[in-house]
Amino acid sequence: MNYLDSLYWIHDRTKFGIKPGVKRMEWMLERLDNPQFNINGIHVGGTNGKGSTVAYLRSALVDNGYEVGTFTSPFIETFNERISLNGIPISDDNIVELVQKVKPVSEALEVETELGTATEFEIITTMMFLYFGELHPVDFVIVEAGLGIKNDSTNVFKPILTILTSIGLDHIEILGDTYTDIAKDKGAIVKPNTPIIYAVKNEDALKVIRGCVEQQNTEGIEFDRDISIVSQEEEFTYRYKDYELETLLLNMLGEHQKENAALAITALIELNESGIVDLDFNKMIDGIESVSWTGRIEQVKEKPLMIVDGAHNVESVEALISTMKDYYHIDSLDILFSAVKGKPINTMVDQLKTIASTFYVTDFDFPRALTKDAIFEEIRFDQKELVDDYVKFIETYEGDGLIITGSLYFISEVKAKVNF
């Protein structure tokens, strides 16, 4: 198999959909001699903020001289970025080698068990554990969870530390439609004898997570209780225990990014205090401040202003709106919107209407993408229009400003097709 053959085989697994549970993962990894148990892994879960938090951790550790693997999803610019080494996507040859090892195991799973076919996400997760656990061992692997925690494909290793960035109402058709239900699922990230750092705002969800910490008899470090930040416009001060870091200034915009950075800093301090890492704090801060994360409130054009952001649920839309008002001081922009099935479209659109001049609706090439007509019918806003060719629309746009949003998968396709 060459690289394109390998990608085709991986993406062909998409037709098997989302199948919660870890039994297929455990079976395949057992056949591969359990490479997941060879890594020094940090598990990062949450509704929003996972990718940014992973990036902060990775950058700070790399700047301190450590070799760091990361696993993130979805990809924005290239498939290989999902498995990256020191922030650089692994090579096409690495993908081919991994597929050659994982494909026979996946096929054996179908023939020798009644567990069913491995999904695309399970295949990619297995490839990641195999790469960092056997083919290219590294100092640390930062693993971003996919959907929830309890039945997520990543929940099969023994982390040295865990982070829960947030809990929001997303994937409710699988995780449950209340904060309590979702917190019970994501609370599975809490492991015995493993510090957990979390930023959970909803009181019902917070009660569940605190209960998980108590039940597992582990150390729980809580944002707004143990960790605090004080914003001074774009800069902020971080406080935890006897640590105070002043005038921190991130490349990443938004108050939510300050919180994500604070979680990463706390994790690094804990690893430093436990002797797992030896940190130069100046290098840590430089690494965190330098992080940029494509597709997250990313300005891709200045005149006219264009922002791409993969806001795909209520909380991430709130963060987008807040950032546009606080950092760009803009109250009204055109919106180009597309989304996938299973998202709270009505609520997301109602939020975006508060800053929308005209609401443009389109669709894109993805198995779970909603049609533009289906989205259009849900929008209760006078100034709305359908867009058939979003590439042409973006490249010829001459308005005052445009936000392109609604799905990370949509942003990924936009970045691939549009010449900004």
Side-chain angles (χ1 to χ4, degrees):
M1 298 177 73
N2 59 28
Y3 177 68
L4 291 179
D5 291 333
S6 299
L7 280 192
Y8 177 81
W9 179 75
I10 294 169
H11 293 323
D12 191 47
R13 309 294 94 190
T14 305
K15 66 188 179 188
F16 299 111
I18 298 170
K19 298 193 288 188
V22 296
K23 291 187 181 299
R24 288 176 299 278
M25 284 294 303
E26 290 172 341
W27 193 94
M28 290 191 292
L29 289 167
E30 174 72 25
R31 277 294 179 95
L32 294 164
D33 295 327
N34 288 314
Q36 77 278 19
F37 296 141
N38 298 334
I39 68 171
N40 286 321
I42 300 168
H43 205 185
V44 181
T47 304
N48 296 303
K50 298 189 294 291
S52 301
T53 304
V54 168
Y56 291 131
L57 286 167
R58 184 259 305 155
S59 183
L61 288 169
V62 169
D63 276 19
N64 270 275
Y66 293 100
E67 193 170 41
V68 182
T70 53
F71 180 65
T72 56
S73 61
F75 71 89
I76 301 297
E77 294 179 337
T78 173
F79 172 83
N80 300 28
E81 73 192 47
R82 297 188 67 168
I83 305 173
S84 291
L85 178 63
N86 293 342
I88 300 170
I90 63 173
S91 70
D92 293 354
D93 288 343
N94 291 147
I95 294 292
V96 173
E97 182 182 10
L98 289 167
V99 167
Q100 286 174 339
K101 290 179 178 292
V102 172
K103 186 173 182 285
V105 176
S106 171
E107 291 169 345
L109 172 73
E110 296 179 51
V111 175
E112 298 177 25
T113 79
E114 296 181 353
L115 296 173
T117 307
T119 66
E120 180 190 42
F121 190 72
E122 289 170 340
I123 292 295
I124 301 167
T125 309
T126 302
M127 290 167 57
M128 175 273 297
F129 282 128
L130 182 61
Y131 185 73
F132 294 123
E134 180 182 315
L135 302 184
H136 193 112
V138 293
D139 296 313
F140 299 99
V141 184
I142 310 169
V143 179
E144 178 188 335
L147 199 161
I149 297 292
K150 183 179 180 181
N151 294 303
D152 186 67
S153 303
T154 63
N155 195 32
V156 291
F157 73 106
K158 299 174 181 177
I160 58 173
L161 181 142
T162 61
I163 300 174
L164 185 60
T165 58
S166 63
I167 290 178
L169 296 177
D170 200 3
H171 300 296
I172 59 175
E173 73 283 0
I174 295 174
L175 302 180
D177 59 4
T178 69
Y179 282 98
T180 298
D181 289 337
I182 294 174
K184 286 178 179 177
D185 184 287
K186 293 185 186 292
I189 200 170
V190 183
K191 302 293 194 300
N193 305 313
T194 307
I196 170 76
I197 302 162
Y198 55 97
V200 177
K201 304 295 177 65
N202 178 270
E203 286 298 322
D204 292 335
L206 185 56
K207 184 177 179 181
V208 172
I209 299 304
R210 286 172 173 170
C212 293
V213 171
E214 183 177 354
Q215 184 179 16
Q216 296 289 358
N217 193 29
T218 195
E219 180 185 9
I221 304 166
E222 186 176 306
F223 187 83
D224 276 344
R225 184 190 68 185
D226 307 305
I227 311 162
S228 66
I229 60 172
V230 180
S231 289
Q232 302 99 17
E233 296 183 352
E234 294 184 3
E235 297 179 341
F236 71 103
T237 296
Y238 163 91
R239 296 191 179 105
Y240 172 60
K241 293 182 177 177
D242 294 328
Y243 298 91
E244 181 171 274
L245 306 176
E246 296 182 312
T247 62
L248 300 177
L249 180 62
L250 304 175
N251 262 340
M252 303 274 280
L253 300 180
E255 291 299 307
H256 59 298
Q257 291 297 351
K258 296 175 183 178
E259 295 182 10
N260 296 334
L263 296 179
I265 293 169
T266 307
L268 292 161
I269 287 173
E270 286 295 307
L271 293 173
N272 190 67
E273 287 193 344
S274 63
I276 295 173
V277 300
D278 183 14
L279 285 182
D280 179 321
F281 272 60
N282 288 326
K283 291 179 180 177
M284 176 188 75
I285 293 168
D286 288 345
I288 286 173
E289 289 185 330
S290 69
V291 167
S292 59
W293 197 235
T294 185
R296 276 73 167 183
I297 312 184
E298 179 186 3
Q299 182 176 324
V300 291
K301 196 171 182 180
E302 184 175 1
K303 292 183 181 180
L305 176 66
M306 284 192 190
I307 305 288
V308 295
D309 184 61
H312 56 283
N313 54 42
V314 172
E315 289 79 10
S316 54
V317 170
E318 287 176 352
L320 169 61
I321 293 170
S322 173
T323 303
M324 295 311 301
K325 291 181 177 180
D326 294 345
Y327 287 81
Y328 285 90
H329 307 293
I330 292 173
D331 294 320
S332 182
L333 283 161
D334 292 330
I335 306 288
L336 177 63
F337 185 86
S338 194
V340 299
K341 297 173 184 175
K343 297 296 181 179
I345 301 300
N346 284 330
T347 310
M348 293 168 66
V349 168
D350 284 346
Q351 290 175 295
L352 287 167
K353 287 190 314 191
T354 63
I355 62 167
S357 298
T358 302
F359 215 107
Y360 296 97
V361 180
T362 192
D363 46 24
F364 64 108
D365 185 19
F366 185 71
R368 293 190 289 117
L370 286 165
T371 66
K372 58 182 177 294
D373 293 319
I375 300 172
F376 193 78
E377 290 177 5
E378 298 288 335
I379 297 176
R380 297 179 293 273
F381 191 62
D382 291 338
Q383 300 298 319
K384 62 179 183 177
E385 294 183 25
L386 286 169
V387 172
D388 293 324
D389 184 345
Y390 72 80
V391 174
K392 182 179 179 181
F393 172 82
I394 293 170
E395 291 181 344
T396 60
Y397 178 80
E398 295 181 345
D400 294 330
L402 180 69
I403 297 176
I404 305 163
T405 190
S407 166
L408 278 167
Y409 295 102
F410 177 45
I411 296 306
S412 176
E413 187 172 297
V414 168
K415 296 271 287 186
K417 291 186 175 181
V418 177
N419 183 25
F420 289 106

